[in-house]
Amino acid sequence: LYTIKFEEILGMRNTNSSVPTNSSVFDLNKLERSVPTWNGLMLKMLTWILDSVIGYPIHVFLAKFNLVPIERVEIEEDPTFYPFWPAPNDSLLKADDVHAIEWQNEFLHNNYKGSPHFRSILDYHKKYLGKVLTPLDVVRMVERKIAQSEEQSPPLRCFTQLNIALAKEAAFQSTLRYEHGKPLSVLDGVPICVKDEFDVKDFSTCHGRSGKGEVNTADCSVVGVLRNYGAIIIGITNMHEMGMGVTGINPHHGATRNPYNDKHVTGGSTSGGATAVAAGILPIAIGSDGGGSVRIPAAFCGVHGIKPTFGRLSPHGTGFSLSSVSVPGVIGNTAADVALIASDSYIRT
């Protein structure tokens, strides 16, 4: 296990870095050699004595005169906070690759198996290049689909916050780039949604709670990189309140409904994202996963979801920046789409 000092963890949040600068290996052998083993009858007797009325003075006496036979050991290694693992040198996808479109295209072409129901990232990109659709057309279609999902009875309740005006402005700029033959990447013009645990500029981060917090002035690392590649942020998705559940039933924003059967739950806690993808509203949802919060709703809704290895996607700007359990995750229509977003070093900085 690779280690990182607590000061470096705090620094990581400010520098957007999820890679430790100084790593060392924590060796438990020193403790194993120096700590005595108590077992069997001896352990039972010692426990009985210390739990009795005479136990407390005995404990005080032993501690005062340091008579407990435990050797003092100086541990030079830093305690392990995060289970880092170094990235492979031959990583397929590089965040600083100047030929982003080329390697993204190659990756999707080599791995895309096709979706029988909904468009993938590659499908959008091809239609944009072929001038069959424009990003502005797509955002308008997404707007209609969201309205339809809310008008049906019962509503799907995918989203808690929307800003279609900003999405249309981003789509307009993306449309111009395609008209000039200069898309930023295969993600340029692709609509995505983000779970209510990530900081997204011009939206509030509420973690599924009632009310609205302060409006964010900057994106978290994951969303920032996706936006730089041209992805269009449609809105913030519903979730199980505080992520503490796997049903997707939210008392403040309403329960998300499974698009295949509105009498069934979607799973959680990334419930709104899985619903939006499975309903064909958009192809990619950004979520988080600690104990199944991406994988469970993806399975319930019949789409693809992944909890990446810790450190693969930066936690900077999320509600779990100092957690080694919850990590950013991805839900998508195809395995290739999910793999592209979660690829090593792609959204690491």
Side-chain angles (χ1 to χ4, degrees), residues 55-66:
Y56 179 74
I58 293 177
H59 182 274
V60 172
F61 176 80
L62 293 175
K64 182 178 180 180
F65 295 98
N66 196 27

Side-chain angles (χ1 to χ4, degrees), residues 158-339:
C158 302
F159 292 88
T160 58
Q161 299 177 61
L162 291 168
N163 195 325
I164 299 298
L166 287 178
K168 286 182 176 178
E169 174 60 28
F172 176 73
Q173 297 299 325
S174 178
T175 299
L176 291 179
R177 290 193 291 269
Y178 275 100
E179 288 179 354
H180 292 88
K182 295 182 179 180
L184 298 175
S185 73
V186 296
L187 283 169
D188 202 345
V190 175
I192 68 171
C193 58
V194 183
K195 187 180 182 181
D196 192 14
E197 278 190 318
F198 294 77
D199 290 349
V200 181
K201 186 179 179 181
D202 300 315
F203 291 94
S204 300
T205 308
C206 303
H207 305 275
R209 295 171 296 183
S210 61
K212 293 284 183 68
E214 294 184 3
V215 176
N216 297 309
T217 58
D219 291 324
C220 65
S221 292
V222 172
V223 173
V225 173
L226 289 172
R227 199 192 292 271
N228 289 339
Y229 275 112
I232 298 173
I233 315 300
I234 298 297
I236 306 301
T237 54
N238 202 355
M239 62 176 286
H240 200 108
E241 187 177 13
M242 299 301 293
M244 303 302 291
V246 295
T247 64
I249 298 174
N250 187 297
H252 310 295
H253 305 292
T256 52
R257 301 282 177 164
N258 195 306
Y260 290 101
N261 188 329
D262 59 27
K263 294 181 175 59
H264 292 184
V265 297
T266 59
S269 61
T270 313
S271 47
T275 303
V277 173
I281 296 175
L282 35 68
I284 289 292
I286 301 302
S288 61
D289 193 313
S293 288
V294 159
R295 294 161 290 168
I296 292 171
F300 281 21
C301 294
V303 291
H304 295 77
I306 187 173
K307 177 185 180 181
T309 302
F310 177 83
R312 185 168 295 248
L313 303 183
S314 171
H316 178 77
T318 69
F320 44 90
S321 295
L322 291 179
S323 168
S324 61
V325 177
S326 292
V327 299
V330 189
I331 294 175
N333 282 324
T334 71
D337 287 354
V338 170

Side-chain angles (χ1 to χ4, degrees), residues 15 80 106 121 141 184 200 203 265 279 315 322 349:
T15 60
T80 299
E106 179 184 0
I121 291 173
M141 287 190 290
L184 298 175
V200 181
F203 291 94
V265 297
L322 291 179
T349 58

